Amino acid sequence: MKVMIINGPNMNMLGDREHSIYGSMKYQDLIYALHNYAKGYGISLHCVQSNSEGKLVDYIQECFYKKYDGLIINPAAYSHTSIAILDALTILTCLKIEVHISNIQQREGFRNQSLTSLAADHMIMGHGVNGYFEALDFLYLKLQKK
Ligand code: CA2
């Protein structure tokens, strides 16, 4: 089972600031813990992060061409603006989970809507970094049943 995790702009700064919103776990520590967790499920995990919209589209297309079974994506600020990422996700046929660390519906108005989530099969938000682990649980259970 092949799963990609894509994180959008500024997510590499996780744990460096805004602890009250995003928690104190460092990005690299999160990635390390996710790799260990995925190993327990026998999932082969590939984690990437970019600050560029086009690069995020390239990673989504990689999921398509390399036949990934599942994608977990936090498009970060691009969730609220990017039709390019929405289109790339719409083309992708594997199981897609959108994760947000914070509850975007309880924050500033400009964060309340996620355009990219229109193409997601499932969304987890407001569970802190645990949301990524829950997304792996969800993918594993769904893909097992296929
Ligand atoms: O809650 C989330 O996961 C977000 O996707 C995080 C994005 C934000 O733009 C979305 O509205 C909600 C990125 C926030 C900025 O990233 C930082 C991460 C760590 C420390 C400081 C900023």
Side-chain angles (χ1 to χ4, degrees):
M1 209 179 278
K2 257 172 38 165
V3 172
M4 191 182 287
I5 297 184
I6 303 177
N7 274 293
N10 298 307
M11 297 307 295
N12 55 315
M13 295 187 74
L14 203 62
D16 289 344
R17 41 183 277 266
E18 298 200 78
H19 291 179
S20 59
I21 305 173
Y22 302 114
S24 55
M25 192 173 204
K26 294 265 191 195
Y27 175 75
Q28 283 307 336
D29 293 337
L30 172 64
I31 298 306
Y32 182 80
L34 286 167
H35 274 288
N36 273 341
Y37 195 75
K39 210 182 283 173
Y41 280 139
I43 292 173
S44 156
L45 191 65
H46 185 51
C47 297
V48 291
Q49 185 275 333
S50 179
N51 295 324
S52 310
E53 187 177 21
K55 191 71 200 168
L56 296 172
V57 170
D58 290 342
Y59 285 137
I60 295 165
Q61 290 188 2
E62 189 179 332
C63 285
F64 179 83
Y65 287 115
K66 294 194 175 162
K67 298 188 179 0
Y68 273 76
D69 302 295
L71 168 65
I72 297 168
I73 183 162
N74 183 347
Y78 286 131
S79 313
H80 317 299
T81 60
S82 179
I83 294 169
I85 292 175
L86 170 62
D87 287 346
L89 287 170
T90 303
I91 293 162
L92 185 63
T93 47
C94 73
L95 204 51
K96 296 158 278 187
I97 321 291
E98 181 163 313
V99 170
H100 291 284
I101 294 176
S102 62
N103 184 342
I104 57 172
Q105 283 168 1
Q106 289 177 358
R107 297 188 61 193
E108 306 97 316
F110 60 85
R111 293 187 205 274
N112 292 167
Q113 182 185 300
S114 165
L115 291 179
T116 52
S117 72
L118 295 172
D121 297 294
H122 186 59
M123 162 126 113
I124 298 170
M125 64 171 151
H127 296 186
V129 293
N130 282 342
Y132 292 93
F133 298 90
E134 289 170 23
L136 280 172
D137 294 338
F138 183 91
L139 273 181
Y140 180 74
L141 284 174
K142 282 275 178 196
L143 293 170
Q144 281 283 89
K145 287 182 193 154
K146 269 179 100 181

